[in-house]
């Protein structure tokens, strides 16, 4: 586990655990060793913090490339923070540039890292669960690692879209982990990846109880 990440878990993670007291179920489904992808619903920017708090191992998140390329003192601090936390760089332009995130994630997963992915691609605008994008399935099959469904509830109440600082409310957040979905031997053709993604979303929906919408979530204005 990166040193800065360990420090963050001991400080920020401890504060979140004490301050918000998230209820956790299915912690036994988190593998003690080996790579895996956590695929969860996305309600709030607080999701990443809470997931990193309750998962006992290092969990790598995606971070936009701007945090790795900034200039000046702020750019330097952002770069140090991203590297120190073990974040994975994502290019926002899409296309081949965006695939560099996969290029970095696959060897990390094969070496035993845990990575968090939000298949919806953006935060839910209304609390419902939207259709998942196939990147999570493509990445898992390519790396040969299991997908662990994650269902989070309550983070949208603590830190709704547009709120910069989370409200201090105990006992309203729940994090549930489902049984790992094995991907070894699965096909990587388009149809198979779509089916696997839909299955992952169905497992997430079982954990959250959200209404499922079979279309992609609308993109939010930056």
């Amino acid at each position: 586990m990166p040193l800065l990440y360990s420090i963050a878990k001991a400080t920020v993670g401890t504060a979140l655990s004490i301050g918000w007291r998230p209820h956790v179920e299915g912690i036994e489904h988190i593998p003690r060793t080996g790579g895996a992808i956590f695929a969860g619903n996305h309600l709030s920017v607080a999701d990443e913090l809470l997931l990193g708090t309750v998962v006992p191992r290092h969990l790598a998140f995606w971070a936009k490339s701007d945090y790795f390329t900034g200039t000046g003192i702020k750019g330097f601090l952002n770069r140090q923070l991203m590297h120190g936390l073990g974040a994975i760089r994502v290019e926002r332009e899409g296309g081949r540039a965006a695939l560099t995130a996969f290029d970095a994630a696959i060897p990390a997963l094969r070496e035993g890292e845990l990575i968090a992915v939000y298949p919806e691609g953006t935060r839910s605008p209304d609390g419902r669960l939207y259709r998942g994008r196939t990147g999570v399935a493509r990445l898992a099959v390519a790396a040969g690692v299991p997908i662990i469904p994650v269902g989070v509830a309550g983070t949208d109440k603590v830190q709704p879209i547009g709120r910069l600082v989370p409200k201090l409310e105990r006992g309203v957040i729940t994090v549930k982990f489902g049984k790992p979905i094995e991907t070894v031997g699965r096909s990587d053709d388009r149809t198979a990846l779509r089916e696997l993604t839909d299955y992952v979303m169905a497992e997430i929906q079982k954990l959250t109880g959200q209404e499922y919408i079979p279309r992609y979530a609308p993109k939010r204005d930056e």
Side-chain angles (χ1 to χ4, degrees):
M1 185 180 295
L3 177 59
L4 186 57
Y5 192 92
S6 298
I7 294 172
K9 280 189 70 69
T11 54
V12 178
T14 299
L16 288 172
S17 295
I18 295 173
W20 282 267
R21 293 185 180 177
H23 175 70
V24 182
E25 297 181 16
I27 197 77
E28 69 276 8
H29 296 313
I30 299 176
R32 294 184 178 181
T33 59
I37 296 175
F38 288 82
N41 61 318
H42 201 10
L43 298 173
S44 165
V45 294
D47 295 337
E48 291 94 334
L49 287 174
L50 267 298
L51 194 55
T53 295
V54 303
V55 172
R57 295 173 55 192
H58 173 245
L59 184 58
F61 290 92
W62 312 90
K64 61 182 181 180
S65 61
D66 305 40
Y67 291 126
F68 294 85
T69 58
T71 58
I73 296 176
K74 182 179 180 181
F76 172 78
L77 293 176
N78 279 336
R79 288 196 302 275
Q80 297 304 309
L81 178 64
M82 293 301 102
H83 289 302
L85 293 175
I88 297 175
R89 175 173 171 170
V90 177
E91 299 290 344
R92 299 178 67 87
E93 292 84 355
R96 179 59 217 173
L99 293 178
T100 57
F102 273 44
D103 295 339
I106 290 173
L109 287 166
R110 289 175 176 170
E111 291 170 7
E113 288 283 350
L114 302 177
I115 292 178
V117 176
Y118 295 102
E120 290 170 280
T122 187
R123 282 171 283 166
S124 172
D126 52 19
R128 298 183 294 181
L129 184 67
Y130 285 81
R131 191 183 197 210
R133 299 181 182 277
T134 58
V136 61
R138 188 181 305 279
L139 180 58
V141 171
V145 298
I147 300 171
I148 300 174
V150 182
V152 176
T155 51
D156 54 335
K157 297 179 178 64
V158 169
Q159 191 173 11
I161 293 175
R163 185 181 177 90
L164 296 178
V165 180
K167 294 181 288 185
L168 183 58
E169 294 188 25
R170 293 181 174 180
V172 301
I173 296 174
T174 299
V175 183
K176 297 181 181 180
F177 298 97
K179 295 181 180 179
I181 300 169
E182 295 299 332
T183 64
V184 175
R186 288 181 179 266
S187 172
D188 62 355
D189 68 69
R190 182 178 302 179
T191 300
L193 294 177
R194 179 74 263 165
E195 290 177 351
L196 176 56
T197 302
D198 289 344
Y199 178 67
V200 170
M201 300 310 293
E203 291 301 299
I204 293 173
Q205 195 276 333
K206 290 179 184 178
L207 296 172
T208 66
Q210 293 169 278
E211 178 185 355
Y212 179 71
I213 307 299
R215 64 174 184 272
Y216 296 124
K219 293 284 187 181
R220 293 180 61 245
D221 292 334
E222 295 296 332

